[in-house]
Amino acid sequence: AQTVTQSQPEMSVQEAETVTLSCTYDTSESDYYLFWYKQPPSRQMILVIRQEAYKQQNATENRFSVNFQKAAKSFSLKISDSQLGDAAMYFCAYRSSRGAGNNRKLIWGLGTSLAVNP
Amino acid sequence: NAGVTQTPKFQVLKTGQSMTLQCAQDMNHEYMSWYRQDPGMGLRLIHYSVGAGITDQGEVPNGYNVSRSTTEDFPLRLLSAAPSQTSVYFCASRGRMNTEAFFGQGTRLTVV
């Protein structure tokens, strides 16, 4: 069974600085998707960035980028020029891309709470 | 285009009461799911559906029922609420050709 591990329950960063959140996963599959979701105090789950496993190029969305190391099964999120609005819980998630049933669900890490200090 | 709409946002129930959490999406997505979020346990899948008339159990289905009579709606029913069902509930949907899931705003349910 696939698992997702976020080893940093809490992180903090100074405004305008860069922070990296870690995520590792375990799977025997070769085709899958990885996601980072942000959950602010409003509780809404917001997609930050996604990565298809078959793509070697790391995904980037404005100030957010990932370091995807498929062999090491690592998927870290880098937030550049941190802003106060980035303070939230961040979840790493995995979804298989094939297989009846397995590709229907997301498998989640436990989250990293990010504080941004002014 | 409202996306995924969940109601209510907050609910307090007494033990033994029943209720339905509503979820509707207007994106014509085939896949819909219900998750619960508990501190220290992340999000866990309760039930999911791959299309109208088709539902299946997730990791933690006990105490919950679902139905999918239309593509748009996927209600979650608590048959007899228990304090262990105190949680935040999320509905999510995804189109067959989409990579990511879209989430509702969540329902905070407290069972006393």
Side-chain angles (χ1 to χ4, degrees):
Chain A
Q2 297 86 11
T3 58
V4 176
T5 302
Q6 294 179 249
S7 59
Q8 306 152 315
E10 297 178 346
M11 294 278 288
S12 64
V13 63
Q14 290 296 125
E15 196 175 2
E17 297 291 306
T18 296
V19 64
T20 299
L21 308 184
S22 300
C23 173
T24 58
Y25 57 96
D26 189 24
T27 184
S28 59
E29 299 173 331
S30 58
D31 293 327
Y32 49 87
Y33 302 101
L34 294 163
F35 307 90
W36 279 99
Y37 279 89
K38 171 185 177 181
Q39 187 179 39
S42 67
R43 203 168 63 218
Q44 178 75 47
M45 280 290 187
I46 303 166
L47 179 69
V48 175
I49 201 165
R50 66 185 185 201
Q51 175 81 41
E52 291 88 344
Y54 66 87
K55 291 185 177 179
Q56 293 186 337
Q57 186 173 6
N58 290 326
T60 299
E61 290 286 344
N62 300 314
R63 297 183 295 107
F64 299 87
S65 61
V66 297
N67 184 2
F68 173 50
Q69 301 288 330
K70 190 172 183 179
K73 298 179 182 174
S74 171
F75 183 60
S76 60
L77 174 70
K78 185 172 83 171
I79 305 174
S80 303
D81 186 26
S82 296
Q83 301 175 1
L84 294 177
D86 294 333
M89 183 73 80
Y90 287 82
F91 290 95
C92 180
Y94 168 104
R95 181 171 68 80
S96 175
S97 64
R98 62 182 60 190
N102 287 338
N103 68 345
R104 314 294 192 247
K105 66 178 182 182
L106 289 161
I107 299 169
W108 299 81
L110 297 185
T112 296
S113 179
L114 178 67
V116 180
N117 303 314
Chain B
N1 191 340
V4 180
T5 302
Q6 271 184 251
T7 55
K9 289 187 173 58
F10 300 93
Q11 183 70 48
V12 178
L13 287 180
K14 293 183 179 179
T15 297
Q17 286 185 316
S18 63
M19 80 158 294
T20 299
L21 306 185
Q22 301 292 345
C23 177
Q25 51 92 8
D26 60 0
M27 298 172 282
N28 203 32
H29 285 171
E30 294 88 348
Y31 304 147
M32 296 187 75
S33 307
W34 277 101
Y35 293 86
R36 59 177 289 172
Q37 182 180 23
D38 300 295
M41 302 190 76
L43 281 83
R44 294 180 291 170
L45 183 66
I46 304 171
H47 285 287
Y48 65 93
S49 169
V50 300
I54 305 170
T55 63
D56 207 343
Q57 296 181 349
E59 303 171 67
V60 288
N62 292 340
Y64 307 95
N65 275 358
V66 292
S67 60
R68 185 97 180 269
S69 57
T70 67
T71 299
E72 294 78 18
D73 300 301
F74 191 45
L76 177 72
R77 297 183 185 84
L78 280 71
L79 308 172
S80 177
S84 61
Q85 293 178 305
T86 293
S87 188
V88 177
Y89 292 84
F90 285 98
C91 179
S93 76
R94 178 172 71 85
R96 186 184 301 274
M97 300 307 294
N98 291 134
T99 301
E100 70 269 22
F102 297 82
F103 285 81
Q105 289 185 297
T107 298
R108 180 175 293 279
L109 175 68
T110 302
V111 183
V112 298

